[in-house]
Amino acid sequence: MLKPINVGLISVVCLFSSFAVAKGERYGISVNMLAIESMEYDQGSSGQKDSLRYGIVHTRPIDKNNNRWRWWLGFNYLSEQIEAPSNGVYQEVTNYEFRVVPQFALDSWSIFTPYIGAGLSAGFSQYSNRWEVDKDGYKYGNQLDDVEQFELGAVATIGSVIKLGSSPDAHLQIIPQVSYIHPVYNSGLGGVELTVSLLF
């Protein structure tokens, strides 16, 4: 039986390969700093954590006078220890996330094309090595059950394409972006995310 991670990876490979013959495709890598928000459990809340996650990106060129709309498809990976607050829950998380965000170009200024977007984040998370923590920060009692769950979030983004070349379809693009992920199904990973992507 295939594990959820294997199904997710196979789906991403098929999806990305299906777009390979389309005109103007861009592929790249991303580095994301996610400020993970606290999650609530019966035993207490988890801690907050600034964590790096890494991803691959597929999209198309965007420009006010050319392709004003585009789809942003991303697949991200995160693995992190989340320390607990007083009387909270310590846990370690591994997360695989697929993101679909339509984006709209606001304007074009020389090599800059600012945009906004809103879409969905679908992920699978494994929370393991979970413990209750007392007011002094010490783990106590029995280890809590692991949690494996599908998570769905709403994503809002604002960013800018920086085209390294005068053409709106420049092959090399640097894309700084700010996103906010709000969990809407299962209490999962969410928060403000700062991203820098390099597209070819």
Side-chain angles (χ1 to χ4, degrees), residues 71-93:
W71 290 93
W72 179 276
L73 308 175
F75 182 74
N76 298 309
Y77 168 79
L78 176 149
S79 181
E80 191 62 84
Q81 300 176 359
I82 304 179
E83 298 296 334
S86 297
N87 299 311
V89 174
Y90 168 89
Q91 58 188 358
E92 299 172 5
V93 58

Side-chain angles (χ1 to χ4, degrees), residues 59 70-74 99-103 116-121 155-157 177:
T59 190
R70 74 172 179 188
W71 290 93
W72 179 276
L73 308 175
R99 189 175 303 182
V100 181
V101 182
Q103 297 175 337
I116 57 173
L120 293 175
S121 163
V155 182
T157 67
Q177 177 175 275

